[in-house]
Amino acid sequence: MALTKAGTALVGIAVSAVLLTSCTVTPNTREVPADTVTHRSSVTPTPEPSTSTEETPVATYTPIRLSFGDTTITGSLWNNAASLSLLGQLPLELEFSDFGGQEKLAPLPEPLNLEGMPPGSAAEPGTVGYYAPGQVLVLYYARVGYYPGIVPIGTFDNVATVRDSPTFTAVLSAAD
């Protein structure tokens, strides 16, 4: 009796099924010191709550302050190349003007480092950004869709104050 290709495939599947169901796995019961085991199984255990008193992680942001008149706005710069190069320029006195009814911008004396930064982004209200082509620091008070050259570098509070303030000169500094 000759088997067709389909029949041969069915026989192969049936043999494989029989072999798989007859296999058993014997667990490894050999004791291994816990500090030498790097992988115990393919199932990821649920992590237990940490009770460690080891070092806390390094902050991923730096608090900042923007002061003009009797107003102080606080925020933070994220730990990235552009933010770090801006921190190196602080304190700065910056002249902010409104642009497009969605943001306040101020020219920076030196460009920021863009290593590892995205070529563009969108910005939500409360975003501190850098617009690379214009070499300006931007405080977004309205949502801005994706645009090449927008580099988000942090956040700020009190969006309404920024939105409602006319042109202003402010001092940007790292917060204590």
Side-chain angles (χ1 to χ4, degrees):
M1 173 171 139
L3 288 176
T4 64
K5 285 185 180 180
T8 304
L10 286 175
V11 170
I13 291 171
V15 170
S16 296
V18 169
L19 289 174
L20 286 174
T21 57
S22 65
C23 291
T24 59
V25 176
T26 306
N28 182 354
T29 58
R30 183 174 63 112
E31 293 285 326
V32 179
D35 62 342
T36 62
V37 176
T38 57
H39 181 73
R40 290 183 185 245
S41 74
S42 61
V43 178
T44 304
T46 304
E48 295 180 22
S50 175
T51 57
S52 172
T53 57
E54 294 177 18
E55 291 182 36
T56 56
V58 175
T60 57
Y61 65 93
T62 300
I64 56 169
R65 176 179 39 243
L66 186 70
S67 302
F68 57 100
D70 293 334
T71 303
T72 297
I73 295 170
T74 59
S76 59
L77 294 179
W78 299 323
N79 187 17
N80 60 40
S83 296
L84 294 174
S85 62
L86 177 59
L87 287 168
Q89 296 181 37
L90 299 184
L92 285 173
E93 185 173 281
L94 301 169
E95 183 81 24
F96 284 90
S97 59
D98 196 78
F99 182 79
Q102 59 194 10
E103 60 201 54
K104 297 284 198 263
L105 49 89
L108 291 172
E110 297 177 34
L112 301 184
N113 180 354
L114 296 178
E115 185 177 330
M117 302 306 296
S121 184
E124 295 295 322
T127 299
V128 176
Y130 176 62
Y131 182 63
Q135 193 178 312
V136 293
L137 184 69
V138 185
L139 304 175
Y140 294 95
Y141 59 82
R143 186 180 190 297
V144 177
Y146 179 91
Y147 200 82
I150 292 177
V151 180
I153 61 173
T155 60
F156 69 94
D157 64 6
N158 210 338
V159 171
T161 298
V162 169
R163 179 193 63 225
D164 298 340
S165 296
T167 298
F168 59 91
T169 300
V171 174
L172 177 63
S173 60
D176 298 330

